[in-house]
Amino acid sequence: MTTESSLLAPASCMALAPAVAAADLRDDRAAPRSGFAIEVPEALLARARRGEAAAFEQLYRWFERPVFTLALRLCGDRDEASEALQETMLKLLRRVGEYRGSGPFWGWLRQIAINEALQRLRRGRRLDETLPLDGHEFEDGAPPPPAAADAALLQRALLVLPAATRSVLWLYHAEGYTHEEIAELMQRTPSFSKSQLARGTRRLRALLQVEEASHV
């Protein structure tokens, strides 16, 4: 059975195995597998901390696609996504010594990437862009139609959504963040995250049905 989690999951996670699942507190389904969830050997991190260029090159190759994909989904613009990628990797270069192993390395790097993307949205005040109230709060969790499996259709549909709504959908469904975690990242409330998820799910499904019909 096709689920929205699998439809929104970055294709890159298949090519970058081995991976581990992102933590999620939801009890009604398995957590999605983040494209960032790549196991990084401690030996490689130790070399990076010593400033070895080859180690940074390896980390860049492993995480370039997940960082760019996340930034593109949140920002909706390839140029901004490229800038977020470069800034994320520069911070990796400068701050890898700050990673102390309290959680997976990929989670630490993903946090940097998300902050970079959201900062770009804040600068343009695009995090204020949301779907309006529609009288059906929190009640629609059904997945969009199977047409969403077409990555091109999904990308076009996501770009139609307001930036804040799109960000909530991606962070929740593709990256496995809880509503409480999304609220903290976006400086909003869990209720905001829940409402945007519900509204965004309905709108995304409608957009995908239109896209599917237009391509028949």
Side-chain angles (χ1 to χ4, degrees):
M1 179 178 179
T2 303
T3 67
E4 189 167 8
S5 297
S6 63
L7 296 174
L8 291 181
S12 59
C13 65
M14 295 292 189
L16 293 173
V20 294
D24 194 330
L25 299 179
R26 280 163 276 178
D27 58 7
D28 58 337
R29 60 182 176 148
R33 187 178 297 273
S34 170
F36 280 80
I38 304 164
E39 294 184 33
V40 178
E42 180 56 39
L44 180 61
L45 291 177
R47 290 170 51 208
R49 292 188 185 100
R50 292 196 297 268
E52 292 188 22
F56 282 111
E57 183 179 349
Q58 181 68 66
L59 290 172
Y60 189 97
R61 285 201 303 268
W62 282 357
F63 288 101
E64 177 183 15
R65 186 180 294 181
V67 171
F68 181 81
T69 298
L70 182 146
L72 180 61
R73 293 294 183 251
L74 269 59
C75 296
D77 180 87
R78 297 189 69 86
D79 289 338
E80 286 191 333
S82 294
E83 291 174 5
L85 168 63
Q86 295 307 314
E87 285 300 316
T88 298
M89 292 307 180
L90 282 174
K91 287 187 175 178
L92 167 61
L93 178 66
R94 297 167 183 161
R95 296 170 50 186
V96 66
E98 298 176 12
Y99 171 66
R100 303 301 182 190
S102 58
F105 174 80
W106 63 264
W108 177 81
L109 183 61
R110 182 177 65 171
Q111 190 78 17
I112 294 174
I114 291 172
N115 288 339
E116 285 297 323
L118 292 180
Q119 184 61 35
R120 278 165 172 72
L121 294 178
R122 287 191 186 95
R123 281 203 291 265
R125 300 189 65 83
R126 286 189 288 154
L127 280 183
D128 296 332
E129 300 172 4
T130 62
L131 286 177
L133 292 170
D134 56 12
H136 300 282
E137 293 299 275
F138 306 166
E139 65 182 46
D140 192 344
D150 185 312
L153 295 184
L154 177 61
Q155 182 172 350
R156 284 197 293 271
L158 285 170
L159 287 175
V160 174
L161 298 176
T165 308
R166 183 175 64 241
S167 296
V168 169
L169 281 172
W170 188 260
L171 292 174
Y172 185 89
H173 283 300
E175 296 300 334
Y177 280 87
T178 66
H179 290 299
E180 290 73 17
E181 291 167 337
I182 294 171
E184 183 175 355
L185 286 168
M186 299 183 68
Q187 300 174 11
R188 304 296 287 261
T189 66
S191 293
F192 169 83
S193 179
K194 292 175 183 178
S195 66
Q196 288 303 304
L197 181 72
R199 299 174 210 173
T201 295
R202 288 190 294 276
R203 181 60 176 149
L204 182 62
R205 189 190 308 115
L207 289 167
L208 288 168
Q209 287 172 336
V210 171
E211 285 274 9
E212 183 182 34
S214 68
H215 285 76
V216 171

